[in-house]
Amino acid sequence: MTLTDLVDDRIANTGAAVIIDVHSYPQHPSRFENPNKSRPALCLGTDDFHTSNELREQALDAFAPLGDIATNTPYGGCYVPLNRYQHDPRVSAVMIELRRDQYLTTPSVANPAKVDSLASMLATLVAHCTPKVAAD
């Protein structure tokens, strides 16, 4: 099943879909990147059409403990399937780009405490994006 299929299914079942696209990037820029761009602990990628102010604020609040957060730098935008891109307001999206030193001790060894902390922040964001179901 593709992401397009998953988004279509989510819209069919709930009327909306929220995409949280998670990536990481190195502390130092690659040869093809602009070395003058900021490399914050977290880069929040947004889109004028698919990222509401509310979703942006929820992401900023969830990851606030990192302190060093920038929007759309060094990377920008977020993933939305082309069949929904820029015309379907039922699809919301945000990209989370974590600088790797935020969860790695060395280039190949994860720091369990940092991973747990980041997982908690991500879970907070997901909880904010999940519709609350009324109890019977």
Side-chain angles (χ1 to χ4, degrees), residues 23-45:
H23 301 270
S24 69
Y25 67 98
Q27 189 169 5
H28 302 288
S30 300
R31 288 176 291 184
F32 63 88
E33 293 179 297
N34 181 344
N36 298 318
K37 279 195 170 185
S38 170
R39 298 184 79 75
L42 180 129
C43 165
L44 182 65

Side-chain angles (χ1 to χ4, degrees), residues 84-103:
R84 305 282 180 178
Y85 184 65
Q86 294 292 301
H87 68 86
D88 191 341
R90 298 173 297 175
V91 179
S92 299
V94 67
M95 176 178 66
I96 305 297
E97 282 274 2
L98 290 161
R99 200 177 61 217
R100 290 186 191 127
D101 64 305
Q102 297 304 301
Y103 63 91

Side-chain angles (χ1 to χ4, degrees), residues 13-96:
N13 285 295
T14 68
V18 178
I19 300 169
I20 302 172
D21 186 20
V22 182
H23 301 270
S24 69
Y25 67 98
Q27 189 169 5
H28 302 288
S30 300
R31 288 176 291 184
F32 63 88
E33 293 179 297
N34 181 344
N36 298 318
K37 279 195 170 185
S38 170
R39 298 184 79 75
L42 180 129
C43 165
L44 182 65
T46 64
D47 176 86
D48 290 340
F49 187 89
H50 293 284
T51 309
S52 67
N53 287 335
E54 180 182 18
L55 179 55
R56 182 183 179 281
E57 290 303 316
Q58 288 170 335
L60 290 171
D61 288 348
F63 288 92
L66 293 177
D68 183 19
I69 301 173
T71 301
N72 291 324
T73 188
Y75 306 101
C78 49
Y79 180 80
V80 175
L82 287 176
N83 70 330
R84 305 282 180 178
Y85 184 65
Q86 294 292 301
H87 68 86
D88 191 341
R90 298 173 297 175
V91 179
S92 299
V94 67
M95 176 178 66
I96 305 297

Side-chain angles (χ1 to χ4, degrees), residues 113-128:
K114 287 183 175 183
V115 170
D116 287 348
S117 178
L118 289 167
S120 178
M121 291 177 213
L122 184 58
T124 297
L125 176 57
V126 170
H128 285 300

